[in-house]
Structure formats: structure tokens, C-alpha cells
Amino acid sequence: MSSPVVQRQRKRKRIDTDGDPEFQVAPMVDVLLVLMLFFMAITSTEVLKKVKNVQLADANHAKPDTHTHDQILVNVEWNGVKEIATFSLDGIDYSSPSQMQGVLAARRNENPASYVVIRADKSVEYSEISDLMTTCANAGISTVSFAVLIGGQRPTQPVPSDESGAN
């Protein structure tokens, strides 16, 4: 006869082969929670780039932009009471486009394929947009797009402008 220690070891090595293998739920829940946190973080950073107070202009014949991963998003808000425009880039407000030139140039140097998307309030004066486009050109960014509403119905992706290479 074998010793009690050997008998215990044999009992431990026995595997229940009669039943089906059990599905482990805990690891799957962990993976789903990690994925959920990842997508929440990505979504919140994209939402924070857009200013909610900006009322985009309508464009009936606009075409959606399919190239969206190299965007530098610039929001332009119009204060009708003070009659001034406020420019924001990466959550930082600027009183004039020329103050953003260094930041735009640095972003352009990081990624030469990047382009500026202007999300301007429909009340913003053209001179403010012209100054912003000049600043983009001075920073080395030759492609500028405008975010608009197609027919006033729904927000769209930026629409490439015909004003590439503004000086």
C-alpha cells in the first residue's frame, strides 16, 4: 500500500473529464472594461476639441472630407456684444490668429501632412478668417478646410476649401 502523501497527490492530479469545460466570465468582463475605457478616452478627447457655442454656416453643395486623421482643429467664436472673435486651438483661447502661429508651425513640423480645419461661427467677419488663413500660410500650412452644415441639417466632416495656400 502507498503512503497517505502519495494518495493525496494522486487525488489532486485527477481531472474531471465527465463535464464540459466552463466558460470563464471574469477575464472577458475585464477585457470589455478595458476596451470601454479606451474608447471613452478617445471619444472625450475628440469632443473636447470642438466648441459647442460655434454655430456653423450652412453649405448646400458641400462634400464630406474623407481624410480626417491629420487635422489641426481651430475654433473661431464670435462675440456679438463686444464684436470680437476668439480663436481656440487645443483648448487654449487666443485673441488673434497671429498668437497661434508658433503653435501651428510646431504642429506642422511634427506632421507635415497636417492641415487646418476652421470651425468658424457663421457670424464671424471675413477679415478674421482671412487673418487666420494668412497665419496658417505663414506657419507653413497650405491646406485649409472649413467645417460646415450641409443644408443646415447635420454636422459634417470638414470640407476642403478652394483657398489652399492662402497668403
Side-chain angles (χ1 to χ4, degrees):
M1 227 201 246
S2 59
S3 71
V5 174
V6 173
Q7 288 177 353
R8 276 185 282 180
Q9 288 177 350
R10 285 185 188 158
K11 286 182 180 179
R12 284 189 210 156
K13 290 183 183 178
R14 290 184 189 159
I15 299 175
D16 182 20
T17 57
D18 296 340
D20 293 329
E22 292 183 21
F23 182 72
Q24 298 294 323
V25 176
M28 295 302 288
V29 170
D30 291 344
V31 169
L32 289 174
L33 288 173
V34 168
L35 287 173
M36 185 177 70
L37 288 173
F38 172 75
F39 287 117
M40 285 173 53
I42 295 272
T43 302
S44 64
T45 57
E46 286 300 315
V47 169
L48 290 176
K49 290 181 181 179
K50 297 179 181 177
V51 176
K52 293 180 182 180
N53 297 338
V54 173
Q55 294 180 358
L56 298 176
D58 297 338
N60 293 328
H61 302 290
K63 296 175 186 157
D65 185 11
T66 57
H67 185 261
T68 60
H69 60 277
D70 297 324
Q71 295 178 356
I72 301 171
L73 194 62
V74 178
N75 292 291
V76 185
E77 289 183 85
W78 182 251
N79 185 335
V81 176
K82 296 180 182 178
E83 294 189 6
I84 58 170
T86 303
F87 303 86
S88 65
L89 172 65
D90 295 333
I92 300 171
D93 291 340
Y94 300 92
S95 58
S96 72
S98 60
Q99 295 175 340
M100 296 188 303
Q101 185 171 336
V103 177
L104 290 171
R107 295 278 299 271
R108 168 73 168 90
N109 291 336
E110 288 174 14
N111 183 3
S114 60
Y115 65 100
V116 170
V117 175
I118 299 174
R119 291 188 75 247
D121 193 280
K122 60 184 174 183
S123 302
V124 173
E125 295 180 1
Y126 175 75
S127 63
E128 302 288 348
I129 301 300
S130 176
D131 292 344
L132 177 57
M133 292 173 67
T134 301
T135 300
C136 292
N138 292 338
I141 299 172
S142 60
T143 304
V144 174
S145 296
F146 296 94
V148 298
L149 298 176
I150 295 180
Q153 295 180 5
R154 60 183 172 84
T156 66
Q157 295 295 328
V159 178
S161 74
D162 295 332
E163 305 273 343
S164 296
N167 289 333

